[in-house]
Amino acid sequence: MNAERFTQITARLMRHPAAPYHEAAVRTETEAICAEHGLDYARDRFGNLLITLRTAARLRPLVLAAHLDHPGFEITKSTSAGRWRARFLGGVPEKYFQPGVPLRLMPEGTSATLGPRLNATDEPEFEIVETSPRKLKPKFAVWELPDFELREERIRGRVCDDLIGCAAILETMIQLRESGAPLHVIGVLSRAEEVGFHGALALAASARLPASALVVSLETSREMPPVQMGHGVIVRV
């Protein structure tokens, strides 16, 4: 792996915050990276991105999969001037929903804060309060955290899960293309994973992927005993 190029790709992707069903900006950035490196790509009708590298037609295809989205707040309606109702998409512990926590309204990136919870159902809804001027109606919101930082050779940022996986797929496919080796690899960058694998399940049901494909999912997950991060590649079956 070209570590410098992988870091650059990761930084480019992570500068585009996303939420389930709001992956357009990071998907467009991914398509630009593919175009720069001569990788064939296409969107399916569900909004997933498929990247294809095929130099040997008879080889069993290897599918490398990751997801573009991250937990976030979807704006549902305006409740009054500068105040919005939003539902949270994804699984995050309750302790992170503290009123007053800084947020970022997308796509403009303007500032806001988290207000009180507005319901008691399994699909939490919250009030979001603007704290800086905006021009466009917000579509979603994310926590106000650094997009991307590199500290002592460690990448830190808001959306490591799973844009690190997406970056790893891109770097792998770029490197394989440069190698000229006989291969058949498909990169699948899916959407709406955080709310139940919606993009991946829709793609699977469409039968667009070859039935003989071996699928490997790349995830950025927490450490689980007895496996330790930094001690080699982790494969979970």
Side-chain angles (χ1 to χ4, degrees):
M1 177 178 285
N2 183 322
E4 182 178 356
R5 184 171 59 198
F6 169 74
T7 302
Q8 292 172 350
I9 291 172
T10 303
R12 288 178 62 175
L13 297 185
M14 290 176 65
R15 292 189 180 113
H16 297 283
Y21 296 110
H22 297 279
E23 307 93 350
V26 68
R27 183 179 56 201
T28 298
E29 186 69 42
T30 303
E31 291 170 339
I33 293 169
C34 289
E36 291 166 16
H37 293 277
L39 294 174
D40 292 332
Y41 64 90
R43 299 182 192 181
D44 68 7
R45 67 180 187 273
F46 312 110
N48 302 305
L49 187 64
L50 279 68
I51 308 164
T52 304
L53 184 58
R54 187 176 186 180
T55 59
R58 295 186 178 183
L59 284 181
R60 181 186 184 186
L62 172 65
V63 175
L64 301 176
H67 59 92
L68 294 163
D69 63 316
H70 190 73
F73 302 84
E74 182 177 57
I75 305 296
T76 55
K77 68 177 181 178
S78 171
T79 55
S80 62
R83 294 177 181 269
W84 304 89
R85 190 180 185 103
R87 60 173 180 162
F88 189 76
L89 302 176
V92 171
E94 282 291 329
K95 64 181 180 180
Y96 294 106
F97 298 110
Q98 299 298 322
V101 167
L103 302 177
R104 189 186 302 181
L105 293 173
M106 301 303 297
E108 284 188 287
T110 52
S111 300
T113 58
L114 183 64
R117 183 165 177 164
L118 301 176
N119 66 355
T121 66
D122 291 337
E123 264 198 0
E125 294 188 81
F126 298 87
E127 182 178 65
I128 292 178
V129 183
E130 296 176 15
T131 56
S132 67
R134 59 169 181 82
K135 295 180 181 178
L136 302 175
K137 177 184 175 181
K139 295 182 179 179
F140 66 102
V142 296
W143 276 278
E144 184 52 81
L145 295 167
D147 291 331
F148 172 89
E149 291 181 347
L150 187 62
R151 299 186 199 169
E152 298 177 354
E153 298 186 343
R154 285 181 178 252
I155 292 172
R156 300 171 183 264
R158 181 192 306 99
V159 290
C160 290
D161 178 20
D162 189 25
L163 294 189
I164 295 288
C166 295
I169 290 172
L170 288 169
E171 169 56 26
T172 298
M173 297 189 75
I174 292 167
Q175 191 167 343
L176 288 172
R177 182 180 182 276
E178 291 173 345
S179 74
L183 45 84
H184 185 184
V185 181
I186 302 169
V188 172
L189 307 188
S190 65
R191 60 188 312 212
E193 185 271 353
E194 300 288 353
V195 288
F197 303 94
H198 290 179
L201 289 173
L203 173 61
S206 73
R208 180 162 179 173
L209 296 177
S212 62
L214 173 64
V215 181
V216 178
S217 176
L218 281 68
E219 282 283 344
T220 308
S221 301
R222 66 185 183 277
E223 192 171 78
M224 299 177 68
V227 177
Q228 291 184 307
M229 297 291 186
H231 288 220
V233 175
I234 300 169
V235 180
R236 298 198 302 204
V237 180

